[in-house]
Amino acid sequence: MIADPEPPESVAPSWNASGGEYLRMLSVRGRILRVAVREGDPDRPPLLLCNGIGVSLELFQPFVDALDPRRGVIRFDMPGVGGSPAPVIPYHLTTLAPLLAGLLDQLGHQRADVLGISWGGGLAQQFALRRPDRVHRLVLVATGPGALMVPGRPRVLRHLLTPRRHRDPDYAARVAAELYGGSVRKDPVLARDLLHATTRLGPARGYFYQLIASIAWTSLPWLPRLRRPTLIMAGDDDPIIPLVNARIMHGLIPHSQLHIYHGGHLELAADAERLASAVEAFLTCRHKPAGLDADLTAEGSQQ
C-alpha cells in the first residue's frame, strides 16, 4: 500500500511509504501531477506506467507488486484524475509527450521502459513516436491505434461515454461482463472492487478531458516509424479493443512481438502475476524472448 500525500499546496516534499514506494505531488510543465515512485536497480531503466481512462494509479498496484522488486516503477495520475488537479482547459494526446519527458526529468531519468494500457497505450505510443530517445522499451496492453482502429460494438462503447462506472459501484458490476470481458464475465464484482475499492476518484470533468484528448488522434500512419522494441499484449475476450487491432499494430510496428492472453480488458489488474511474468520476460531479455514471438503464445494456443 502507498501512503497518500497531503493536498497539492505542498508540491516538492515526498512521503515515504511501505514497500519502498512513495507519493509526490510534482509540478511538471505547469501541471500538478500525483506521482508514485518505487525505487529500483539504478542500472535498469524504470518502468513508466500510463493508465487507462478515468482510473488512478492505485488500480495497478497488484501488477506493480508482481514485478521484480528490483525494477523501479513510476506511476502518475493524469490531470483531473485521481489526486492530480484538473487543468483549466482540456488537452490533447498530441501535446502530452513533453509532459512525460518533463516527469522523467524531474525524477532524474534519461530513459524509461514505458507501459501503456487502454487510453494510456495511446499516450505511450505518442511518447515513443515523439521522443524515442526517452523510451527504452515499449509495452502496449489492451490498446489500439486510436481513431483509425476497429471499434468495439456500439452497445459496449456507449458505456465509455460517461464516468458512471467509476462513480457507481453497482452500475460497474452490472456492466462489467459486457464492457470488460475476461475474468469479470464470471465474477463481475471483481470489476467493481478493482474500480472502487482500490482507486481514488477525481472530478468528473477529468474523465471528459481524457475523452476529448483522444478525439481524432491516431498513431496508425506512423506506426512503421516506431523503432523501439515493442511488446503488444491483447486479450482474446476484450469487448473494448477487439483483438484484430493488436494484429494490425503487430503488422505495422517493425520487429514488434505479439502476446495474446486469455482474458479481457482489465486482466493487467485482475490477473497481475500472469501478465507481469510476460512483461518481465520482455523487459529483461536482450534478444527476442522465447514464446513471445508468435501470434499465439503457448498460453494462447491452449484454449
Side-chain angles (χ1 to χ4, degrees), residues 205-253:
R205 72 179 185 275
Y207 183 93
F208 293 115
Y209 282 0
Q210 283 190 283
L211 279 181
I212 293 169
S214 59
I215 291 176
W217 177 87
T218 184
S219 62
L220 194 71
W222 295 278
L223 289 180
R225 296 171 51 191
L226 215 170
R227 300 291 179 175
R228 306 315 302 161
T230 302
L231 172 64
I232 302 165
M233 303 183 70
D236 58 9
D237 180 24
D238 186 341
I240 297 176
I241 309 289
L243 179 57
V244 65
N245 291 287
R247 296 194 186 279
I248 292 170
M249 296 173 70
H250 178 45
L252 291 174
I253 300 175

mmCIF file of all heavy atoms in Angstrom, residues 205-253:
data_model
loop_
_atom_site.group_PDB
_atom_site.id
_atom_site.type_symbol
_atom_site.label_atom_id
_atom_site.label_comp_id
_atom_site.label_asym_id
_atom_site.label_seq_id
_atom_site.Cartn_x
_atom_site.Cartn_y
_atom_site.Cartn_z
ATOM 1 N N ARG A 205 -15.029 16.092 -14.630
ATOM 2 C CA ARG A 205 -14.519 16.708 -15.857
ATOM 3 C C ARG A 205 -13.158 16.142 -16.263
ATOM 4 O O ARG A 205 -12.784 16.202 -17.430
ATOM 5 C CB ARG A 205 -14.458 18.222 -15.725
ATOM 6 C CG ARG A 205 -13.386 18.784 -14.828
ATOM 7 C CD ARG A 205 -13.456 20.309 -14.837
ATOM 8 N NE ARG A 205 -12.388 20.937 -14.090
ATOM 9 C CZ ARG A 205 -12.412 21.157 -12.788
ATOM 10 N NH1 ARG A 205 -13.475 20.782 -12.082
ATOM 11 N NH2 ARG A 205 -11.402 21.755 -12.178
ATOM 12 N N GLY A 206 -12.435 15.575 -15.296
ATOM 13 C CA GLY A 206 -11.156 14.948 -15.653
ATOM 14 C C GLY A 206 -11.348 13.801 -16.621
ATOM 15 O O GLY A 206 -10.548 13.596 -17.533
ATOM 16 N N TYR A 207 -12.427 13.029 -16.430
ATOM 17 C CA TYR A 207 -12.744 11.919 -17.337
ATOM 18 C C TYR A 207 -13.064 12.461 -18.723
ATOM 19 O O TYR A 207 -12.568 11.944 -19.735
ATOM 20 C CB TYR A 207 -13.927 11.137 -16.782
ATOM 21 C CG TYR A 207 -14.296 9.918 -17.604
ATOM 22 C CD1 TYR A 207 -13.754 8.672 -17.292
ATOM 23 C CD2 TYR A 207 -15.182 10.007 -18.675
ATOM 24 C CE1 TYR A 207 -14.092 7.551 -18.038
ATOM 25 C CE2 TYR A 207 -15.521 8.897 -19.423
ATOM 26 C CZ TYR A 207 -14.976 7.667 -19.101
ATOM 27 O OH TYR A 207 -15.308 6.557 -19.848
ATOM 28 N N PHE A 208 -13.885 13.501 -18.782
ATOM 29 C CA PHE A 208 -14.265 14.059 -20.081
ATOM 30 C C PHE A 208 -13.072 14.700 -20.781
ATOM 31 O O PHE A 208 -12.978 14.667 -22.011
ATOM 32 C CB PHE A 208 -15.410 15.063 -19.899
ATOM 33 C CG PHE A 208 -16.687 14.421 -19.446
ATOM 34 C CD1 PHE A 208 -17.239 14.714 -18.203
ATOM 35 C CD2 PHE A 208 -17.342 13.490 -20.244
ATOM 36 C CE1 PHE A 208 -18.407 14.103 -17.782
ATOM 37 C CE2 PHE A 208 -18.514 12.873 -19.822
ATOM 38 C CZ PHE A 208 -19.046 13.185 -18.591
ATOM 39 N N TYR A 209 -12.145 15.258 -20.016
ATOM 40 C CA TYR A 209 -10.930 15.795 -20.627
ATOM 41 C C TYR A 209 -10.138 14.684 -21.321
ATOM 42 O O TYR A 209 -9.568 14.885 -22.399
ATOM 43 C CB TYR A 209 -10.054 16.458 -19.573
ATOM 44 C CG TYR A 209 -10.496 17.845 -19.149
ATOM 45 C CD1 TYR A 209 -11.620 18.449 -19.703
ATOM 46 C CD2 TYR A 209 -9.792 18.552 -18.181
ATOM 47 C CE1 TYR A 209 -12.023 19.717 -19.310
ATOM 48 C CE2 TYR A 209 -10.186 19.820 -17.778
ATOM 49 C CZ TYR A 209 -11.302 20.398 -18.347
ATOM 50 O OH TYR A 209 -11.691 21.645 -17.954
ATOM 51 N N GLN A 210 -10.107 13.507 -20.701
ATOM 52 C CA GLN A 210 -9.408 12.394 -21.342
ATOM 53 C C GLN A 210 -10.122 11.950 -22.615
ATOM 54 O O GLN A 210 -9.473 11.597 -23.607
ATOM 55 C CB GLN A 210 -9.267 11.220 -20.375
ATOM 56 C CG GLN A 210 -8.166 11.408 -19.345
ATOM 57 C CD GLN A 210 -7.892 10.129 -18.561
ATOM 58 O OE1 GLN A 210 -8.655 9.772 -17.673
ATOM 59 N NE2 GLN A 210 -6.809 9.458 -18.884
ATOM 60 N N LEU A 211 -11.453 11.944 -22.593
ATOM 61 C CA LEU A 211 -12.200 11.627 -23.807
ATOM 62 C C LEU A 211 -11.880 12.623 -24.922
ATOM 63 O O LEU A 211 -11.604 12.241 -26.062
ATOM 64 C CB LEU A 211 -13.703 11.639 -23.526
ATOM 65 C CG LEU A 211 -14.342 10.408 -22.895
ATOM 66 C CD1 LEU A 211 -15.842 10.636 -22.741
ATOM 67 C CD2 LEU A 211 -14.097 9.154 -23.730
ATOM 68 N N ILE A 212 -11.905 13.905 -24.576
ATOM 69 C CA ILE A 212 -11.622 14.946 -25.557
ATOM 70 C C ILE A 212 -10.201 14.807 -26.095
ATOM 71 O O ILE A 212 -9.943 15.027 -27.290
ATOM 72 C CB ILE A 212 -11.833 16.338 -24.928
ATOM 73 C CG1 ILE A 212 -13.311 16.552 -24.603
ATOM 74 C CG2 ILE A 212 -11.314 17.448 -25.838
ATOM 75 C CD1 ILE A 212 -13.578 17.775 -23.749
ATOM 76 N N ALA A 213 -9.283 14.417 -25.231
ATOM 77 C CA ALA A 213 -7.875 14.328 -25.622
ATOM 78 C C ALA A 213 -7.633 13.330 -26.750
ATOM 79 O O ALA A 213 -6.659 13.451 -27.501
ATOM 80 C CB ALA A 213 -7.024 13.958 -24.411
ATOM 81 N N SER A 214 -8.503 12.336 -26.854
ATOM 82 C CA SER A 214 -8.287 11.298 -27.860
ATOM 83 C C SER A 214 -9.078 11.537 -29.149
ATOM 84 O O SER A 214 -8.961 10.751 -30.096
ATOM 85 C CB SER A 214 -8.650 9.925 -27.284
ATOM 86 O OG SER A 214 -10.011 9.907 -26.859
ATOM 87 N N ILE A 215 -9.851 12.626 -29.209
ATOM 88 C CA ILE A 215 -10.644 12.899 -30.405
ATOM 89 C C ILE A 215 -9.721 13.097 -31.612
ATOM 90 O O ILE A 215 -8.785 13.904 -31.571
ATOM 91 C CB ILE A 215 -11.540 14.143 -30.197
ATOM 92 C CG1 ILE A 215 -12.642 13.839 -29.181
ATOM 93 C CG2 ILE A 215 -12.145 14.602 -31.521
ATOM 94 C CD1 ILE A 215 -13.505 15.036 -28.839
ATOM 95 N N ALA A 216 -9.987 12.353 -32.666
ATOM 96 C CA ALA A 216 -9.259 12.458 -33.943
ATOM 97 C C ALA A 216 -7.787 12.051 -33.835
ATOM 98 O O ALA A 216 -7.043 12.178 -34.804
ATOM 99 C CB ALA A 216 -9.384 13.860 -34.532
ATOM 100 N N TRP A 217 -7.369 11.543 -32.663
ATOM 101 C CA TRP A 217 -5.979 11.108 -32.546
ATOM 102 C C TRP A 217 -5.824 9.700 -33.110
ATOM 103 O O TRP A 217 -6.650 8.820 -32.868
ATOM 104 C CB TRP A 217 -5.526 11.096 -31.085
ATOM 105 C CG TRP A 217 -4.120 10.575 -30.929
ATOM 106 C CD1 TRP A 217 -2.963 11.285 -31.016
ATOM 107 C CD2 TRP A 217 -3.732 9.206 -30.707
ATOM 108 N NE1 TRP A 217 -1.886 10.462 -30.858
ATOM 109 C CE2 TRP A 217 -2.326 9.176 -30.676
ATOM 110 C CE3 TRP A 217 -4.448 8.017 -30.544
ATOM 111 C CZ2 TRP A 217 -1.607 8.000 -30.469
ATOM 112 C CZ3 TRP A 217 -3.737 6.839 -30.348
ATOM 113 C CH2 TRP A 217 -2.334 6.832 -30.303
ATOM 114 N N THR A 218 -4.753 9.476 -33.864
ATOM 115 C CA THR A 218 -4.417 8.131 -34.317
ATOM 116 C C THR A 218 -2.909 8.013 -34.493
ATOM 117 O O THR A 218 -2.229 8.990 -34.830
ATOM 118 C CB THR A 218 -5.122 7.788 -35.636
ATOM 119 O OG1 THR A 218 -4.815 6.409 -35.970
ATOM 120 C CG2 THR A 218 -4.670 8.677 -36.785
ATOM 121 N N SER A 219 -2.414 6.838 -34.250
ATOM 122 C CA SER A 219 -0.999 6.553 -34.483
ATOM 123 C C SER A 219 -0.782 5.739 -35.751
ATOM 124 O O SER A 219 0.365 5.522 -36.155
ATOM 125 C CB SER A 219 -0.427 5.770 -33.285
ATOM 126 O OG SER A 219 -1.110 4.524 -33.149
ATOM 127 N N LEU A 220 -1.875 5.277 -36.351
ATOM 128 C CA LEU A 220 -1.779 4.259 -37.405
ATOM 129 C C LEU A 220 -0.800 4.605 -38.524
ATOM 130 O O LEU A 220 0.060 3.779 -38.870
ATOM 131 C CB LEU A 220 -3.175 3.985 -37.979
ATOM 132 C CG LEU A 220 -3.283 2.722 -38.842
ATOM 133 C CD1 LEU A 220 -3.168 1.475 -37.974
ATOM 134 C CD2 LEU A 220 -4.624 2.701 -39.577
ATOM 135 N N PRO A 221 -0.845 5.795 -39.139
ATOM 136 C CA PRO A 221 0.070 6.055 -40.263
ATOM 137 C C PRO A 221 1.542 6.092 -39.852
ATOM 138 O O PRO A 221 2.418 5.942 -40.704
ATOM 139 C CB PRO A 221 -0.392 7.429 -40.776
ATOM 140 C CG PRO A 221 -1.761 7.626 -40.233
ATOM 141 C CD PRO A 221 -1.773 6.916 -38.919
ATOM 142 N N TRP A 222 1.791 6.304 -38.568
ATOM 143 C CA TRP A 222 3.162 6.483 -38.101
ATOM 144 C C TRP A 222 3.746 5.247 -37.399
ATOM 145 O O TRP A 222 4.907 5.253 -37.008
ATOM 146 C CB TRP A 222 3.233 7.691 -37.156
ATOM 147 C CG TRP A 222 2.907 8.956 -37.883
ATOM 148 C CD1 TRP A 222 3.743 9.712 -38.660
ATOM 149 C CD2 TRP A 222 1.628 9.605 -37.936
ATOM 150 N NE1 TRP A 222 3.076 10.791 -39.185
ATOM 151 C CE2 TRP A 222 1.769 10.757 -38.765
ATOM 152 C CE3 TRP A 222 0.390 9.331 -37.376
ATOM 153 C CZ2 TRP A 222 0.723 11.616 -39.036
ATOM 154 C CZ3 TRP A 222 -0.668 10.191 -37.641
ATOM 155 C CH2 TRP A 222 -0.500 11.319 -38.457
ATOM 156 N N LEU A 223 2.947 4.194 -37.243
ATOM 157 C CA LEU A 223 3.453 3.012 -36.539
ATOM 158 C C LEU A 223 4.692 2.397 -37.195
ATOM 159 O O LEU A 223 5.566 1.885 -36.481
ATOM 160 C CB LEU A 223 2.339 1.971 -36.392
ATOM 161 C CG LEU A 223 1.229 2.329 -35.397
ATOM 162 C CD1 LEU A 223 0.184 1.228 -35.339
ATOM 163 C CD2 LEU A 223 1.788 2.604 -34.005
ATOM 164 N N PRO A 224 4.827 2.408 -38.535
ATOM 165 C CA PRO A 224 6.071 1.874 -39.121
ATOM 166 C C PRO A 224 7.322 2.647 -38.701
ATOM 167 O O PRO A 224 8.440 2.131 -38.850
ATOM 168 C CB PRO A 224 5.823 2.002 -40.630
ATOM 169 C CG PRO A 224 4.339 1.948 -40.775
ATOM 170 C CD PRO A 224 3.818 2.690 -39.565
ATOM 171 N N ARG A 225 7.148 3.841 -38.156
ATOM 172 C CA ARG A 225 8.292 4.632 -37.694
ATOM 173 C C ARG A 225 8.631 4.349 -36.237
ATOM 174 O O ARG A 225 9.594 4.909 -35.710
ATOM 175 C CB ARG A 225 7.995 6.119 -37.863
ATOM 176 C CG ARG A 225 7.816 6.565 -39.300
ATOM 177 C CD ARG A 225 7.305 7.989 -39.382
ATOM 178 N NE ARG A 225 8.084 8.908 -38.576
ATOM 179 C CZ ARG A 225 7.730 10.173 -38.306
ATOM 180 N NH1 ARG A 225 6.574 10.631 -38.775
ATOM 181 N NH2 ARG A 225 8.495 10.945 -37.577
ATOM 182 N N LEU A 226 7.842 3.490 -35.595
ATOM 183 C CA LEU A 226 8.079 3.193 -34.191
ATOM 184 C C LEU A 226 9.168 2.123 -34.105
ATOM 185 O O LEU A 226 8.918 0.950 -34.353
ATOM 186 C CB LEU A 226 6.776 2.703 -33.538
ATOM 187 C CG LEU A 226 6.531 3.090 -32.087
ATOM 188 C CD1 LEU A 226 5.116 2.740 -31.672
ATOM 189 C CD2 LEU A 226 7.522 2.422 -31.169
ATOM 190 N N ARG A 227 10.368 2.538 -33.763
ATOM 191 C CA ARG A 227 11.538 1.656 -33.826
ATOM 192 C C ARG A 227 11.990 1.113 -32.486
ATOM 193 O O ARG A 227 12.954 0.344 -32.432
ATOM 194 C CB ARG A 227 12.705 2.413 -34.484
ATOM 195 C CG ARG A 227 12.404 2.881 -35.899
ATOM 196 C CD ARG A 227 12.296 1.722 -36.856
ATOM 197 N NE ARG A 227 11.980 2.147 -38.205
ATOM 198 C CZ ARG A 227 11.925 1.319 -39.256
ATOM 199 N NH1 ARG A 227 12.160 0.027 -39.074
ATOM 200 N NH2 ARG A 227 11.628 1.772 -40.450
ATOM 201 N N ARG A 228 11.352 1.498 -31.417
ATOM 202 C CA ARG A 228 11.749 0.956 -30.128
ATOM 203 C C ARG A 228 11.247 -0.475 -29.998
ATOM 204 O O ARG A 228 10.184 -0.823 -30.531
ATOM 205 C CB ARG A 228 11.165 1.795 -28.981
ATOM 206 C CG ARG A 228 11.485 3.279 -29.042
ATOM 207 C CD ARG A 228 12.924 3.546 -29.352
ATOM 208 N NE ARG A 228 13.837 2.940 -28.372
ATOM 209 C CZ ARG A 228 15.120 2.710 -28.593
ATOM 210 N NH1 ARG A 228 15.660 2.995 -29.769
ATOM 211 N NH2 ARG A 228 15.864 2.174 -27.652
ATOM 212 N N PRO A 229 11.987 -1.361 -29.317
ATOM 213 C CA PRO A 229 11.487 -2.726 -29.095
ATOM 214 C C PRO A 229 10.111 -2.681 -28.438
ATOM 215 O O PRO A 229 9.929 -2.026 -27.410
ATOM 216 C CB PRO A 229 12.542 -3.338 -28.168
ATOM 217 C CG PRO A 229 13.782 -2.542 -28.424
ATOM 218 C CD PRO A 229 13.321 -1.151 -28.719
ATOM 219 N N THR A 230 9.136 -3.354 -29.042
ATOM 220 C CA THR A 230 7.747 -3.211 -28.616
ATOM 221 C C THR A 230 7.087 -4.562 -28.395
ATOM 222 O O THR A 230 7.173 -5.449 -29.243
ATOM 223 C CB THR A 230 6.936 -2.429 -29.673
ATOM 224 O OG1 THR A 230 7.534 -1.141 -29.870
ATOM 225 C CG2 THR A 230 5.483 -2.246 -29.229
ATOM 226 N N LEU A 231 6.426 -4.692 -27.252
ATOM 227 C CA LEU A 231 5.603 -5.863 -26.952
ATOM 228 C C LEU A 231 4.148 -5.419 -26.945
ATOM 229 O O LEU A 231 3.769 -4.491 -26.231
ATOM 230 C CB LEU A 231 5.968 -6.444 -25.586
ATOM 231 C CG LEU A 231 5.059 -7.552 -25.042
ATOM 232 C CD1 LEU A 231 5.113 -8.785 -25.942
ATOM 233 C CD2 LEU A 231 5.442 -7.910 -23.604
ATOM 234 N N ILE A 232 3.318 -6.082 -27.760
ATOM 235 C CA ILE A 232 1.887 -5.807 -27.811
ATOM 236 C C ILE A 232 1.172 -6.946 -27.102
ATOM 237 O O ILE A 232 1.339 -8.114 -27.468
ATOM 238 C CB ILE A 232 1.406 -5.695 -29.267
ATOM 239 C CG1 ILE A 232 2.183 -4.600 -30.003
ATOM 240 C CG2 ILE A 232 -0.090 -5.427 -29.323
ATOM 241 C CD1 ILE A 232 2.030 -4.666 -31.505
ATOM 242 N N MET A 233 0.371 -6.609 -26.094
ATOM 243 C CA MET A 233 -0.347 -7.615 -25.324
ATOM 244 C C MET A 233 -1.847 -7.372 -25.484
ATOM 245 O O MET A 233 -2.328 -6.245 -25.297
ATOM 246 C CB MET A 233 0.049 -7.557 -23.851
ATOM 247 C CG MET A 233 1.539 -7.723 -23.605
ATOM 248 S SD MET A 233 1.980 -7.732 -21.846
ATOM 249 C CE MET A 233 1.297 -9.310 -21.335
ATOM 250 N N ALA A 234 -2.578 -8.423 -25.830
ATOM 251 C CA ALA A 234 -4.008 -8.273 -26.094
ATOM 252 C C ALA A 234 -4.765 -9.482 -25.578
ATOM 253 O O ALA A 234 -4.295 -10.619 -25.686
ATOM 254 C CB ALA A 234 -4.256 -8.100 -27.585
ATOM 255 N N GLY A 235 -5.949 -9.230 -25.029
ATOM 256 C CA GLY A 235 -6.791 -10.310 -24.549
ATOM 257 C C GLY A 235 -7.646 -10.887 -25.659
ATOM 258 O O GLY A 235 -8.041 -10.179 -26.591
ATOM 259 N N ASP A 236 -7.949 -12.174 -25.556
ATOM 260 C CA ASP A 236 -8.784 -12.816 -26.573
ATOM 261 C C ASP A 236 -10.278 -12.610 -26.307
ATOM 262 O O ASP A 236 -11.117 -13.109 -27.046
ATOM 263 C CB ASP A 236 -8.463 -14.315 -26.685
ATOM 264 C CG ASP A 236 -8.639 -15.065 -25.368
ATOM 265 O OD1 ASP A 236 -9.161 -14.476 -24.397
ATOM 266 O OD2 ASP A 236 -8.251 -16.246 -25.304
ATOM 267 N N ASP A 237 -10.607 -11.852 -25.243
ATOM 268 C CA ASP A 237 -12.007 -11.549 -24.927
ATOM 269 C C ASP A 237 -12.086 -10.118 -24.400
ATOM 270 O O ASP A 237 -12.429 -9.884 -23.250
ATOM 271 C CB ASP A 237 -12.544 -12.545 -23.891
ATOM 272 C CG ASP A 237 -14.006 -12.283 -23.526
ATOM 273 O OD1 ASP A 237 -14.721 -11.679 -24.341
ATOM 274 O OD2 ASP A 237 -14.412 -12.659 -22.408
ATOM 275 N N ASP A 238 -11.732 -9.154 -25.250
ATOM 276 C CA ASP A 238 -11.726 -7.740 -24.872
ATOM 277 C C ASP A 238 -12.770 -7.005 -25.698
ATOM 278 O O ASP A 238 -12.533 -6.678 -26.861
ATOM 279 C CB ASP A 238 -10.342 -7.134 -25.105
ATOM 280 C CG ASP A 238 -10.232 -5.698 -24.589
ATOM 281 O OD1 ASP A 238 -11.278 -5.050 -24.395
ATOM 282 O OD2 ASP A 238 -9.092 -5.229 -24.399
ATOM 283 N N PRO A 239 -13.954 -6.730 -25.145
ATOM 284 C CA PRO A 239 -15.006 -6.078 -25.919
ATOM 285 C C PRO A 239 -14.680 -4.634 -26.314
ATOM 286 O O PRO A 239 -15.202 -4.131 -27.316
ATOM 287 C CB PRO A 239 -16.210 -6.103 -24.973
ATOM 288 C CG PRO A 239 -15.905 -7.190 -23.989
ATOM 289 C CD PRO A 239 -14.424 -7.148 -23.819
ATOM 290 N N ILE A 240 -13.811 -3.949 -25.557
ATOM 291 C CA ILE A 240 -13.500 -2.553 -25.845
ATOM 292 C C ILE A 240 -12.513 -2.435 -27.003
ATOM 293 O O ILE A 240 -12.685 -1.612 -27.909
ATOM 294 C CB ILE A 240 -12.933 -1.855 -24.586
ATOM 295 C CG1 ILE A 240 -13.985 -1.833 -23.476
ATOM 296 C CG2 ILE A 240 -12.470 -0.440 -24.918
ATOM 297 C CD1 ILE A 240 -13.485 -1.242 -22.169
ATOM 298 N N ILE A 241 -11.466 -3.250 -26.981
ATOM 299 C CA ILE A 241 -10.430 -3.232 -28.022
ATOM 300 C C ILE A 241 -10.393 -4.613 -28.676
ATOM 301 O O ILE A 241 -9.708 -5.525 -28.187
ATOM 302 C CB ILE A 241 -9.041 -2.902 -27.446
ATOM 303 C CG1 ILE A 241 -9.090 -1.643 -26.591
ATOM 304 C CG2 ILE A 241 -8.032 -2.764 -28.579
ATOM 305 C CD1 ILE A 241 -9.278 -0.357 -27.362
ATOM 306 N N PRO A 242 -11.122 -4.825 -29.766
ATOM 307 C CA PRO A 242 -11.104 -6.132 -30.426
ATOM 308 C C PRO A 242 -9.685 -6.574 -30.778
ATOM 309 O O PRO A 242 -8.820 -5.761 -31.122
ATOM 310 C CB PRO A 242 -11.949 -5.897 -31.680
ATOM 311 C CG PRO A 242 -12.869 -4.780 -31.311
ATOM 312 C CD PRO A 242 -12.058 -3.880 -30.413
ATOM 313 N N LEU A 243 -9.460 -7.867 -30.700
ATOM 314 C CA LEU A 243 -8.139 -8.454 -30.879
ATOM 315 C C LEU A 243 -7.504 -8.094 -32.223
ATOM 316 O O LEU A 243 -6.284 -7.965 -32.331
ATOM 317 C CB LEU A 243 -8.234 -9.976 -30.736
ATOM 318 C CG LEU A 243 -6.957 -10.790 -30.918
ATOM 319 C CD1 LEU A 243 -5.868 -10.340 -29.961
ATOM 320 C CD2 LEU A 243 -7.260 -12.283 -30.727
ATOM 321 N N VAL A 244 -8.296 -7.888 -33.254
ATOM 322 C CA VAL A 244 -7.750 -7.589 -34.573
ATOM 323 C C VAL A 244 -6.873 -6.342 -34.549
ATOM 324 O O VAL A 244 -5.923 -6.221 -35.330
ATOM 325 C CB VAL A 244 -8.890 -7.438 -35.611
ATOM 326 C CG1 VAL A 244 -9.768 -6.247 -35.291
ATOM 327 C CG2 VAL A 244 -8.327 -7.319 -37.025
ATOM 328 N N ASN A 245 -7.132 -5.411 -33.638
ATOM 329 C CA ASN A 245 -6.308 -4.206 -33.570
ATOM 330 C C ASN A 245 -4.870 -4.520 -33.178
ATOM 331 O O ASN A 245 -3.931 -3.906 -33.696
ATOM 332 C CB ASN A 245 -6.920 -3.223 -32.570
ATOM 333 C CG ASN A 245 -8.220 -2.643 -33.070
ATOM 334 O OD1 ASN A 245 -8.239 -1.807 -33.963
ATOM 335 N ND2 ASN A 245 -9.326 -3.101 -32.493
ATOM 336 N N ALA A 246 -4.692 -5.466 -32.271
ATOM 337 C CA ALA A 246 -3.340 -5.864 -31.885
ATOM 338 C C ALA A 246 -2.613 -6.489 -33.070
ATOM 339 O O ALA A 246 -1.412 -6.262 -33.272
ATOM 340 C CB ALA A 246 -3.392 -6.842 -30.714
ATOM 341 N N ARG A 247 -3.324 -7.277 -33.862
ATOM 342 C CA ARG A 247 -2.694 -7.893 -35.027
ATOM 343 C C ARG A 247 -2.297 -6.832 -36.056
ATOM 344 O O ARG A 247 -1.229 -6.924 -36.672
ATOM 345 C CB ARG A 247 -3.647 -8.911 -35.653
ATOM 346 C CG ARG A 247 -3.969 -10.105 -34.735
ATOM 347 C CD ARG A 247 -4.617 -11.221 -35.547
ATOM 348 N NE ARG A 247 -5.067 -12.312 -34.703
ATOM 349 C CZ ARG A 247 -4.285 -13.281 -34.236
ATOM 350 N NH1 ARG A 247 -2.993 -13.270 -34.497
ATOM 351 N NH2 ARG A 247 -4.796 -14.250 -33.493
ATOM 352 N N ILE A 248 -3.135 -5.837 -36.245
ATOM 353 C CA ILE A 248 -2.805 -4.751 -37.172
ATOM 354 C C ILE A 248 -1.565 -4.002 -36.699
ATOM 355 O O ILE A 248 -0.642 -3.728 -37.478
ATOM 356 C CB ILE A 248 -4.007 -3.793 -37.315
ATOM 357 C CG1 ILE A 248 -5.156 -4.493 -38.035
ATOM 358 C CG2 ILE A 248 -3.601 -2.520 -38.051
ATOM 359 C CD1 ILE A 248 -6.460 -3.709 -38.020
ATOM 360 N N MET A 249 -1.529 -3.669 -35.422
ATOM 361 C CA MET A 249 -0.369 -2.955 -34.883
ATOM 362 C C MET A 249 0.897 -3.791 -34.983
ATOM 363 O O MET A 249 1.974 -3.289 -35.323
ATOM 364 C CB MET A 249 -0.642 -2.549 -33.439
ATOM 365 C CG MET A 249 -1.782 -1.559 -33.290
ATOM 366 S SD MET A 249 -2.215 -1.235 -31.566
ATOM 367 C CE MET A 249 -0.782 -0.326 -31.023
ATOM 368 N N HIS A 250 0.761 -5.088 -34.697
ATOM 369 C CA HIS A 250 1.899 -6.007 -34.806
ATOM 370 C C HIS A 250 2.446 -6.025 -36.229
ATOM 371 O O HIS A 250 3.664 -6.054 -36.444
ATOM 372 C CB HIS A 250 1.444 -7.400 -34.380
ATOM 373 C CG HIS A 250 2.491 -8.461 -34.494
ATOM 374 N ND1 HIS A 250 3.787 -8.297 -34.074
ATOM 375 C CD2 HIS A 250 2.414 -9.737 -34.995
ATOM 376 C CE1 HIS A 250 4.472 -9.413 -34.289
ATOM 377 N NE2 HIS A 250 3.662 -10.291 -34.859
ATOM 378 N N GLY A 251 1.553 -5.967 -37.211
ATOM 379 C CA GLY A 251 1.990 -5.967 -38.597
ATOM 380 C C GLY A 251 2.665 -4.678 -39.023
ATOM 381 O O GLY A 251 3.477 -4.678 -39.959
ATOM 382 N N LEU A 252 2.359 -3.576 -38.340
ATOM 383 C CA LEU A 252 2.889 -2.273 -38.743
ATOM 384 C C LEU A 252 4.124 -1.849 -37.959
ATOM 385 O O LEU A 252 4.951 -1.087 -38.475
ATOM 386 C CB LEU A 252 1.801 -1.204 -38.584
ATOM 387 C CG LEU A 252 0.628 -1.291 -39.566
ATOM 388 C CD1 LEU A 252 -0.443 -0.266 -39.203
ATOM 389 C CD2 LEU A 252 1.118 -1.059 -40.991
ATOM 390 N N ILE A 253 4.256 -2.287 -36.714
ATOM 391 C CA ILE A 253 5.407 -1.888 -35.898
ATOM 392 C C ILE A 253 6.568 -2.845 -36.173
ATOM 393 O O ILE A 253 6.462 -4.048 -35.919
ATOM 394 C CB ILE A 253 5.059 -1.907 -34.398
ATOM 395 C CG1 ILE A 253 3.917 -0.931 -34.116
ATOM 396 C CG2 ILE A 253 6.285 -1.539 -33.561
ATOM 397 C CD1 ILE A 253 3.422 -0.972 -32.676
#
